[in-house]
Amino acid sequence: MVRAGLFEDVDVVLHWHPDDENSANSRTSNSNKSGKFKFKGISAHAAGAPEKGRNALDAQIQLFVNASTYRQQMVQSNRMHGVIKDGGFKPNIIPSYTSSEWYLRSLNEDGLNILEKDFLNCVNAAALATKCEVKITSPDYMYREILNNKTMYELFMQNSENIGRDMPLEDPLRPGLGSTDMGNISLAMPSIHPMLDIDAGDAVNHQPEYAAATIKPGGHKAIFDGAYGMGATIIDLAEKNLWDKL
């Protein structure tokens, strides 16, 4: 949408995200690139003629092994994780087709480019070892690291504290482990991406217990507080004429 010019008449962007703690400036969000990796082999009877086949599932498994081996020396703030989407049909048929989907994350675009190059070595090595072909598809974009606007997050912090929600500032060097398209927007225009605690106990994002907490009182309060904080911040920008401070 940014590339298509849909934000050209927008002055600022505000967005909040649920979390297990409050943060006015949110943790650094990683650059992220995704990809799908399809291996093509040759099917054959797994018991009667295994030498006639080329095992595309072995190729996927080897990719995961290669990635796990690489993680031992990987930059600690980097992340890469995948799932097998298609892994074959029957145990007695050597799989001729498998697919997996992966996310690669790094603190910034430069780090992500290095990580991607190394990961592709893992992919191609798996294909070479199993004599399978590999097809790689990836979107022509990546999620970028986030840049929170200081003027805006300080206003959001004060407005939140006015209604009883403490919004501390995070260490800007503390690495974030998630990724969001708000990063791309924040590099194009002044933006904030605060995190609001929804009182989910020990549950964390992407767990069923965390989803259940969104419709409980803590989740409802976060919706109200987040909406108030963003609305009040926009009013402050306008009434105090702070546009040149962004």
Side-chain angles (χ1 to χ4, degrees):
M1 294 172 66
V2 171
R3 292 189 300 180
L6 299 183
F7 284 85
E8 288 183 355
D9 60 347
V10 174
D11 295 311
V12 296
V13 176
L14 301 88
H15 167 75
W16 73 268
H17 193 286
D19 199 19
D20 55 7
E21 60 184 25
N22 294 315
S23 170
N25 58 331
S26 80
R27 66 195 66 169
T28 303
S29 178
N30 284 347
S31 292
N32 172 298
K33 192 167 187 178
S34 61
K36 296 180 179 180
F37 302 86
K38 302 175 181 179
F39 288 97
K40 180 182 178 182
I42 299 175
S43 61
H45 196 290
E51 73 280 0
K52 300 293 186 182
R54 293 183 181 178
N55 197 318
L57 180 56
D58 280 348
Q60 288 290 355
I61 293 173
Q62 189 61 53
L63 168 56
F64 277 77
V65 171
N66 292 346
S68 294
T69 302
Y70 174 81
R71 286 192 185 99
Q72 296 179 50
Q73 280 73 48
M74 188 171 68
V75 176
Q76 290 187 359
S77 55
N78 286 350
R79 295 289 186 273
M80 55 184 186
H81 28 259
V83 293
I84 294 178
K85 307 296 287 289
D86 298 286
F89 301 101
K90 298 287 289 183
N92 63 334
I93 303 174
I94 291 176
S96 62
Y97 169 81
T98 58
S99 68
S100 64
E101 185 173 1
W102 287 78
Y103 288 175
L104 308 179
R105 306 178 195 258
S106 189
L107 292 181
N108 52 52
E109 184 178 3
D110 290 341
L112 185 58
N113 289 335
I114 295 172
L115 178 61
E116 182 182 25
K117 180 180 177 181
D118 290 344
F119 181 75
L120 291 178
N121 287 337
C122 296
V123 174
N124 292 322
L128 180 64
T130 57
K131 297 183 179 180
C132 289
E133 299 176 10
V134 61
K135 180 180 179 181
I136 302 170
T137 58
S138 182
D140 63 348
Y141 62 86
M142 67 174 66
Y143 290 166
R144 296 288 306 277
E145 65 274 16
I146 199 165
L147 176 65
N148 284 287
N149 182 270
K150 185 174 185 291
T151 297
M152 291 169 62
Y153 71 63
E154 287 180 345
L155 290 172
F156 186 92
M157 179 170 58
Q158 183 59 58
N159 287 316
S160 297
E161 291 175 350
N162 289 343
I163 57 172
R165 181 178 288 268
D166 183 40
M167 295 293 293
L169 294 176
E170 281 197 0
D171 182 350
L173 299 179
R174 175 186 175 186
L177 302 181
S179 304
T180 173
D181 50 2
M182 266 298 292
N184 302 63
I185 294 172
S186 74
L187 296 176
M189 65 200 65
S191 305
I192 56 171
H193 187 276
M195 311 292 278
L196 273 66
D197 184 6
I198 67 168
D199 194 22
D202 294 331
V204 295
N205 267 310
H206 302 308
Q207 291 182 333
E209 297 82 1
Y210 193 88
T214 63
I215 58 174
K216 293 181 179 179
H220 293 163
K221 186 176 189 306
I223 292 173
F224 173 84
D225 291 356
Y228 176 87
M230 292 190 296
T233 296
I234 290 294
I235 292 173
D236 285 343
L237 287 172
E239 288 188 343
K240 299 176 182 179
N241 194 25
L242 299 174
W243 306 109
D244 61 342
K245 302 293 186 182
L246 299 176

